[in-house]
Amino acid sequence: KQEVTQIPAALSVPEGENLVLNCSFTDSAIYNLQWFRQDPGKGLTSLLLIQSSQREQTSGRLNASLDKSSGRSTLYIAASQPGDSATYLCAVLYTGANSKLTFGKGITLSVRP
Amino acid sequence: DTEVTQTPKHLVMGMTNKKSLKCEQHMGHRAMYWYKQKAKKPPELMFVYSYEKLSINESVPSRFSPECPNSSLLNLHLHALQPEDSALYLCASSKASRRRRSTDTQYFGPGTRLTVL
């Protein structure tokens, strides 16, 4: 079964800390992997998309990596700020998935001032 | 412009009502999606339209009826819903290719918070 797992479900860190959010997937046959941010009661904001041929993508303080052989992706957030508090969702587009993203359950991040 | 807009933001309806959710994008995307998201759960795909044609229906009950009147608009018509249909309904869009399924970044709207009484 093609699944996406994000552990832990919640994380609390002090402001300024560099942190890593993990995502694991069960099948290496993927088109791409996408990281989203969701604020409470809001829609999803696309942060980074990594194609299957890529190893990492960067945007500002965010860096996402992809290791298909181990079925893992990480989202690195540098110098965290209280405004980074949100739920971070990892989603994988598996080959043959007909445009259907497989989402993890998300990691709820709280950055303490 | 990477914006997907959805109206209304909030909707409360009775089980006998008929209502519609609307989604609009002007990014030239030809793939549009409806998702349903329950509290503290990830989004679940409901429908996919590609070039204004329904390409995926994830076994959604017929009380949900999608419509794609043109390349910029996506509607979700609601009729005879149940309380368990209360959720955040998200619309998304992405680039599409006629030769293969869309594998591009999906851009999401802010959602419609639906409450069924």
Side-chain angles (χ1 to χ4, degrees):
Chain A
K1 184 179 178 182
Q2 294 173 328
E3 296 180 332
V4 176
T5 302
Q6 294 183 256
I7 297 173
L11 187 62
S12 180
V13 300
E15 181 177 6
E17 189 163 301
N18 300 325
L19 58 99
V20 173
L21 306 182
N22 293 308
C23 171
S24 61
F25 47 95
T26 53
D27 187 342
S28 62
I30 69 172
Y31 279 123
N32 58 49
L33 183 146
Q34 198 165 357
W35 282 94
F36 293 93
R37 168 186 172 140
Q38 186 172 32
D39 293 291
K42 306 292 186 182
L44 277 65
T45 300
S46 178
L47 298 175
L48 291 164
L49 179 142
I50 311 177
Q51 301 290 355
S52 63
S53 58
Q54 297 174 322
R55 287 294 189 98
E56 65 178 340
Q57 285 285 339
T58 298
S59 176
R61 294 184 294 110
L62 305 179
N63 176 277
S65 68
L66 175 65
D67 184 342
K68 283 197 307 178
S69 62
S70 66
R72 298 188 65 177
S73 175
T74 61
L75 179 67
Y76 175 82
I77 303 176
S80 58
Q81 303 169 358
D84 295 329
S85 299
T87 295
Y88 291 81
L89 292 150
C90 169
V92 172
L93 184 61
Y94 285 105
T95 58
N98 293 333
S99 306
K100 181 179 179 179
L101 291 173
T102 300
F103 283 88
K105 292 184 178 180
I107 299 173
T108 299
L109 173 66
S110 174
V111 180
R112 307 186 301 272
Chain B
D1 180 10
T2 58
E3 186 178 26
V4 176
T5 59
Q6 290 187 244
T7 56
K9 291 184 179 179
H10 302 276
L11 179 62
V12 179
M13 59 186 292
M15 290 189 286
T16 58
N17 292 156
K18 287 186 180 180
K19 296 286 184 183
S20 296
L21 310 185
K22 297 186 183 300
C23 172
E24 189 168 5
Q25 56 86 17
H26 295 287
M27 295 179 278
H29 291 170
R30 303 302 293 273
M32 297 186 76
Y33 311 77
W34 279 116
Y35 288 84
K36 172 183 177 180
Q37 187 178 26
K38 303 283 278 184
K40 299 192 184 300
K41 300 285 189 182
E44 299 174 2
L45 183 67
M46 300 174 72
F47 303 102
V48 180
Y49 272 82
S50 180
Y51 290 87
E52 296 84 68
K53 293 189 186 312
L54 183 64
S55 61
I56 297 175
N57 177 339
E58 288 288 308
S59 302
V60 179
S62 59
R63 58 186 184 268
F64 295 91
S65 175
E67 178 196 20
C68 190
N70 61 54
S71 60
S72 300
L73 292 174
L74 184 66
N75 298 321
L76 186 62
H77 303 298
L78 314 173
H79 175 55
L81 294 193
Q82 304 296 311
E84 59 264 29
D85 296 321
S86 298
L88 181 67
Y89 287 83
L90 295 164
C91 173
S93 71
S94 68
K95 293 180 184 178
S97 166
R98 288 195 183 277
R99 289 184 293 176
R100 60 174 173 76
R101 302 291 186 184
S102 175
T103 60
D104 289 294
T105 302
Q106 291 188 21
Y107 294 90
F108 282 77
T112 293
R113 173 71 61 189
L114 174 67
T115 302
V116 182
L117 301 176

